[in-house]
Amino acid sequence: KRPERIESIIRSVYPVDDSNVDKTLVESIAFPARDPKAADVYPLVIRGSKGRYVDDLISSLRSDLPVLLAWGVLDPWIRPAAADRFIQVYAQNKGQTDFLRRSNLQAGHCPMDECPDITNDAILLWLSEEDSQIKW
């Protein structure tokens, strides 16, 4: 609930560029933490749902649509091995990985906020590669 503590934690997961860690971002996390039921929710967020959430998410994806996994490899919370696991579960669930591409970004937990330029470049590259494969 303390903004200075929240800011410190956020900065720790933005190892490349923490310039986007501002009062607005801190408040967007602090505000829900002040809700009386926050103490019931935060442990669920931290603990997760014992691996079922990712499996459920993957099973809901259409296997004929491309997926870009833009991974911040410097994320201190969710290590690259988790991306490996995502790909493994995707392959087991879909029977292939033809439509799945992983882009390892030199960024932390929120690459789209920490390093938007490299994230956008990765998305644009992926889109151009996907577009070249589409039979118009």
Side-chain angles (χ1 to χ4, degrees):
K1 293 182 182 181
R2 294 187 341 244
E4 61 279 354
R5 177 71 178 129
I6 292 169
E7 180 177 346
S8 172
I9 291 168
I10 296 170
R11 286 190 189 284
S12 76
V13 297
Y14 280 51
V16 174
D17 180 2
D18 66 359
S19 63
N20 283 338
V21 178
D22 58 14
K23 289 181 191 219
T24 302
L25 179 59
V26 171
E27 181 58 20
S28 75
I29 295 168
F31 178 76
R34 290 191 287 270
D35 186 283
K37 295 190 184 225
D40 297 333
V41 174
Y42 274 87
L44 296 174
V45 172
I46 300 302
R47 279 196 318 262
S49 57
K50 299 180 183 168
R52 297 195 59 196
Y53 173 73
V54 171
D55 295 2
D56 293 340
L57 173 66
I58 292 170
S59 68
S60 71
L61 295 173
R62 287 180 41 186
S63 59
D64 62 334
L65 294 179
V67 174
L68 174 64
L69 183 59
W71 201 268
V73 297
L74 302 176
D75 184 345
W77 290 347
I78 306 176
R79 305 302 303 156
D84 298 338
R85 174 73 179 133
F86 182 98
I87 293 168
Q88 178 185 34
V89 171
Y90 184 94
Q92 290 170 349
N93 193 280
K94 303 299 179 189
Q96 51 82 17
T97 57
D98 297 341
F99 291 105
L100 176 63
R101 174 137 188 267
R102 176 176 171 179
S103 181
N104 292 317
L105 306 177
Q106 291 300 307
H109 190 69
C110 300
M112 66 288 187
D113 188 47
E114 180 185 9
C115 300
D117 290 341
I118 66 167
T119 304
N120 289 339
D121 288 347
I123 293 168
L124 291 172
L125 175 63
W126 174 71
L127 287 171
S128 69
E129 290 170 353
E130 289 300 320
D131 187 51
S132 70
Q133 296 177 24
I134 295 173
K135 310 276 189 272
W136 294 102

